Amino acid sequence: MTVSAHPTGTLILRRGEDRRVRGGHPWIFSNEVERWDGAVEDGGLVEIHDSRGAFLGIAYVNRHSLICARLLTRGRDTIDRAFFVKRLERAKRLRETCYPGEESLRLVYGESDQLPGLVVDRYGDCLAVQVLTRGMDARTDLLREALEDVFAPKGAVYIGDSSLRELEG
C-alpha cells in the first residue's frame, strides 16, 4: 500500500450520525456510515462529511472493523512526518509538565494524544512502540522518523503482538 498524506476518498455519515463526532468523539462506527466515495483503501485517509456534505475532519479507515474510521484531525492538515512530529512534541511537552524528570512513563496514549492506535512508552533512553491499528501500521516509517526526531532514543522495540491487531486485520 502506498501511503498518501492526503485523503483519497470520502466517508459520508448517515443523517443524524454526526453528533458524536461534532461532540469530540474520535471514532466512527461502521453502522454510522451512509456511503464511501472515491478511492477508499483500508489504512488510507478519507475526509469525513456529514449527510449534508459539511467537512468534519480527516481519518484513517478500516472498512473491515467495527470502528471503521479514527479521526486524526478536524482540520485539513497534511498527514505527513511534520504532522506526527507536531503531535509527538505536544505529547512530550504535556508529559514533561506533568511528570518532570520522569525516566519511565507512557509518552503517547493513543486517542488522548490525537494519535489513535499508537502507544509509546519510555524506559530511560529506550522506547517501546505499540501500533494497534491498520491506519497507524501503514504509517510506521513516518512514525519511526518522527519518534527519532522528537525523542532521539538510543533504541526502540516495536511491539506488534496485541490481539487488537487481529481485529484490525
Side-chain angles (χ1 to χ4, degrees):
M1 171 182 172
T2 303
V3 176
S4 174
H6 302 282
T8 59
T10 306
L11 181 158
I12 311 294
L13 291 169
R14 292 176 189 248
R15 184 173 178 213
E17 296 294 346
D18 58 321
R19 291 181 312 275
R20 286 183 332 92
V21 172
R22 289 184 190 282
H25 201 280
W27 297 347
I28 295 170
F29 294 95
S30 57
N31 64 342
E32 298 171 331
V33 177
E34 176 68 32
R35 72 177 188 277
W36 304 88
D37 290 341
V40 177
E41 188 173 351
D42 292 328
L45 300 173
V46 295
E47 287 190 1
I48 307 297
H49 291 254
D50 69 12
S51 62
R52 295 172 308 231
F55 175 83
L56 299 173
I58 296 173
Y60 64 74
V61 300
N62 184 351
R63 293 167 295 171
H64 303 289
S65 175
L66 177 61
I67 304 169
C68 66
R70 297 169 192 262
L71 265 84
L72 290 168
T73 179
R74 293 175 190 278
R76 295 190 184 270
D77 303 289
T78 300
I79 311 301
D80 57 6
R81 181 177 177 170
F83 173 87
F84 287 110
V85 165
K86 183 178 176 181
R87 292 283 166 90
L88 292 170
E89 285 174 339
R90 186 171 56 205
K92 181 181 179 184
R93 281 191 307 274
L94 176 63
R95 286 0 178 248
E96 287 172 345
T97 300
C98 294
Y99 307 104
E102 188 64 45
E103 291 292 315
S104 297
L105 73 154
R106 179 146 292 168
L107 293 171
V108 176
Y109 212 145
E111 282 82 356
S112 67
D113 288 307
Q114 294 181 308
L115 291 166
L118 179 65
V119 176
V120 180
D121 296 315
R122 181 178 67 202
Y123 302 97
D125 294 339
C126 296
L127 300 179
V129 180
Q130 296 180 67
V131 176
L132 303 169
T133 59
R134 181 172 250 172
M136 279 298 179
D137 193 62
R139 291 160 181 80
T140 53
D141 289 341
L142 288 173
L143 290 168
R144 180 187 46 78
E145 293 169 2
L147 287 163
E148 288 172 354
D149 287 350
V150 175
F151 299 110
K154 288 190 178 174
V157 174
Y158 176 84
I159 302 168
D161 61 356
S162 170
S163 59
L164 294 175
R165 289 177 57 85
E166 288 180 38
L167 296 173
E168 286 283 309

